[in-house]
Amino acid sequence: QEQLMTSGGGSVQAGGSLRLSCSASKSTYSGCWGWFRQAPGKEFEAVASISTGGGSLVKPFYTDSVKDRFTISLDDKDMVYLQMDALKADDTAMYYCAGFPFGRGKYCPSLRRADYDSWGQGTQVTVSS
């Protein structure tokens, strides 16, 4: 398991934007990254997932409610980002990044919580209407 560090949450008005960041403790992390969220009284929900391999041939996955508003991305410093635009009150939740290494018979990208074995501490996103 990797130790993941999450940052970038905060409060914003509806229609605004936030960017979440996540990094692994290893200098390089080859595998699958995902963002998940949980709002009070609601189920844990997958948001987006991206693979560190495959380049542009492997498109990220998004849950339907965030498509065309959220963008998951990687940089060359082993950081993963979640750019959140056009935020809605329904996006208010604790957001978690997660990862798992390639192999072990798992596919990536993945929106399956059970696939992930490393998790960040969570960062709160609050959107006021």
Side-chain angles (χ1 to χ4, degrees):
Q1 294 182 352
E2 277 294 312
Q3 182 176 0
L4 305 182
M5 292 156 282
T6 313
S7 62
S11 297
V12 66
Q13 289 190 333
S17 298
L18 284 172
R19 188 176 80 158
L20 307 182
S21 303
C22 184
S23 63
S25 57
K26 281 184 179 177
S27 59
T28 58
Y29 186 81
S30 178
C32 198
W33 291 93
W35 285 98
F36 294 78
R37 66 186 181 185
Q38 187 165 31
K42 295 186 178 180
E43 293 186 354
F44 202 82
E45 178 185 31
V47 176
S49 175
I50 192 168
S51 173
T52 63
S56 60
L57 297 177
V58 181
K59 301 298 184 185
F61 286 359
Y62 297 93
T63 194
D64 287 345
S65 62
V66 307
K67 284 180 181 176
D68 300 322
R69 298 190 299 120
F70 289 11
T71 303
I72 188 171
S73 62
L74 301 163
D75 70 5
D76 59 359
K77 297 181 180 179
D78 300 306
M79 297 283 293
V80 62
Y81 302 97
L82 185 68
Q83 177 66 40
M84 303 183 294
D85 298 317
L87 282 161
K88 305 175 181 179
D90 285 347
D91 295 319
T92 295
M94 185 71 76
Y95 284 72
Y96 300 89
C97 72
F100 65 86
F102 290 134
R104 305 178 186 176
K106 299 176 184 177
Y107 294 97
C108 179
S110 171
L111 297 179
R112 295 180 67 243
R113 178 183 185 180
D115 284 342
Y116 292 83
D117 56 17
S118 296
W119 292 85
Q121 78 280 16
T123 186
Q124 178 68 36
V125 171
T126 302
V127 184
S128 56
S129 57

